[in-house]
């Protein structure tokens, strides 16, 4: 592979790093052709892009995309495949499901919701909520007290409150 080909690969990986906010570095070595095909198909269905990378070229792409991190660079050893995604926990869910029939892929590291995770933290990464999910939880919590008041006013307690308000109104008149 000459310098020009390497530069093209680095540019392509840099583009993916800028396009996708989350990525997982995985070890898929040891998967046979059938398992690899099954993994690629599952990734395609979940809108996850799986790319086998050369560690040195991916490290340079990380630097170029300004996502280089000592911890992430430390996991770039051995065979590496990168899963690029728009949904932070989608690859972890896919890997957890895939591992029901195979030992691999293993997660070497991940960059999810602007945080770096190092190691095979499948269960932790499955539970990482996206920014939108967290905002939804906050809105639900804020709406909860108002819903309780409204339901109380509409229920049998609401009739009592309305009766008390009417009685107080009649007293004042």
């Amino acid at each position: 592979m000459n310098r020009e080909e390497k530069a093209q690969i680095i540019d392509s990986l840099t583009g993916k790093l800028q396009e996708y906010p989350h990525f997982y570095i995985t070890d898929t070595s040891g998967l046979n052709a059938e398992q690899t095909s099954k993994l690629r198909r599952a990734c395609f269905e979940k809108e996850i892009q799986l790319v086998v990378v050369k560690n040195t070229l991916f490290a340079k792409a990380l630097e170029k995309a300004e996502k280089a991190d000592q911890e992430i660079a430390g996991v770039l050893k051995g065979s590496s495949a990168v899963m690029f995604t728009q949904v932070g926990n989608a690859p972890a869910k896919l890997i957890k499901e895939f591992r029901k029939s195979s030992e691999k892929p293993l997660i070497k590291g991940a960059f999810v919701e602007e945080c770096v995770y190092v190691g095979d933290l499948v269960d932790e990464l499955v539970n990482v909520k996206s920014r939108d999910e967290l905002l939804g939880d906050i809105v639900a919590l804020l709406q909860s007290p108002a819903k309780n008041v409204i339901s109380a006013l509409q229920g049998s307690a609401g009739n009592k409150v309305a009766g008390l308000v009417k009685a107080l109104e009649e007293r004042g008149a």
Side-chain angles (χ1 to χ4, degrees), residues 41-42 83:
R41 199 173 313 112
M83 294 178 159

Side-chain angles (χ1 to χ4, degrees), residues 94-144:
L94 183 141
I95 289 169
K96 188 172 184 171
E97 182 66 29
F98 198 81
R99 282 206 200 152
K100 290 179 181 177
S101 62
S102 174
E103 293 178 10
K104 296 219 175 169
L106 298 175
I107 299 174
K108 294 177 169 186
F111 184 81
V112 179
E113 298 299 334
E114 299 183 21
C115 293
V116 173
Y117 297 86
V118 175
D120 196 27
L121 306 170
V122 174
D123 294 327
E124 290 83 351
L125 289 165
V126 164
N127 295 322
V128 171
K129 291 190 176 189
S130 70
R131 182 177 183 273
D132 292 339
E133 289 172 323
L134 289 173
L135 288 174
D137 288 351
I138 291 169
V139 168
L141 286 171
L142 292 174
Q143 287 179 338
S144 183

